[in-house]
Amino acid sequence: MAYQSAYNMNYQILLCLILFSLVLLLPLPSHSADPSPLQDFCVADLDSSLYINGFPCKNPDNVSSQDFFANGFQQSPGEFNIFDVNVTRQDVQRFPGLNTLGLSMNRVVLKPGGLNAPHVHPRAAELALVMDGKLFVGFVTTGNVFYWKIVTSGELFVIPPGLVHFQLNIGHENARFFASFNSQNPGIQFAPLALFNSTPSIPDLVLSKAFQVNQSIIELIKSRFATVSTVSTVLKSSY
Ligand SMILES: *[C@@H]1O[C@H](CO)[C@@H](O)[C@H](O)[C@H]1NC(C)=O
Ligand SMILES: *[C@@H]1O[C@H](CO)[C@@H](O)[C@H](O)[C@H]1NC(C)=O
Ligand SMILES: *[C@@H]1O[C@H](CO)[C@@H](O)[C@H](O)[C@H]1NC(C)=O
C-alpha cells in the first residue's frame, strides 16, 4: 500500500513535470522568424522552377566563396523614390548565400525631409544602426501606442516584427542607416501604397468608409500615386 502511494506520487510528479515542460516548449516556435537551417548552408538557386518555402539549394559542388559575399552597399544610392528615399536591399533575392540563414540587411539613404513612409516588414524584426544624419523614428503597437525617438550617428533602434513604423530625416544632410533583419526575406509593405496604389485598386467605397472621408478625397489620394511606377515595380519584384 505504501509502495503503491509512493508510486502514485512519483507518477504525479512526473506528469506535472511533463506538463510543465510542454507549457514551456509551446511558445518556442514563435521565438524565431525564419526556420533554422538543416545544413551548413543552402545557397539559393534563384533560377530553379521549384516553388518552395524559401529557395532550393544550389548544388554544393558549384558553390564558391563568391556566394557568401555581396557588394551592393558599395554603389552610391541610385534612384530615390517619391518619398525621397533610396533603399538598397541585400535580401536572399539579391544575396543568394543568405538562403535559410534567417538574416538580411538593407541600406537606407534619405534626403533631407525624406520619409521612409509608414510600412511593415511582415516576416522580421529590424535592428538598425544610424551612420549619418538625424532621424525621427517611430512605430505603433497593436494597441495603437506610438513609440518614437530622435536617433543620430552611432545610435541603434529596433522595430518589433510586423508593426507599422517610419523614419523621417529631420536633419539638413542626407541620413543613412543600415537595417538588419531576422529573416532572409523580411518583405516590406508601405501602408500608403498598399491601400492607395494596389493592382487592381481597392474600391473607393471601402477606403472612404475606412478613413471616414468623402470618396472624392480617396480619388485625390489615389491620383497622387497614379504615376508611381518605379516604386511599384521595385515592390512587385518581391513577394
Ligand atoms: C555546375 O557548374 C558547371 C560549370 O559552370 C555547369 O556546367 C553545371 O551545369 C553546374 N551544375 C549544377 C548542378 O548547377
Ligand atoms: C537605390 O540605389 C541602388 C544603388 O545603390 C539601386 O540598386 C536601387 O535600385 C535603388 N533603390 C531604389 C528603390 O530605387
Ligand atoms: C463628396 O464631395 C463631392 C464634391 O465635393 C460632393 O459633390 C458630394 O456631395 C460629397 N458627397 C458626400 C456624401 O458628402
Side-chain angles (χ1 to χ4, degrees), residues 130 133-138 148-152 155 157 168 170:
V130 180
K134 194 192 239 188
L135 291 164
F136 171 35
V137 176
W148 62 272
K149 184 83 179 164
I150 309 260
V151 283
T152 57
E155 297 182 328
F157 61 87
L168 173 70
I170 56 169

Side-chain angles (χ1 to χ4, degrees), residues 11 17 35 59 72 130 202:
Y11 183 74
L17 277 177
N59 183 337
V130 180
I202 297 178

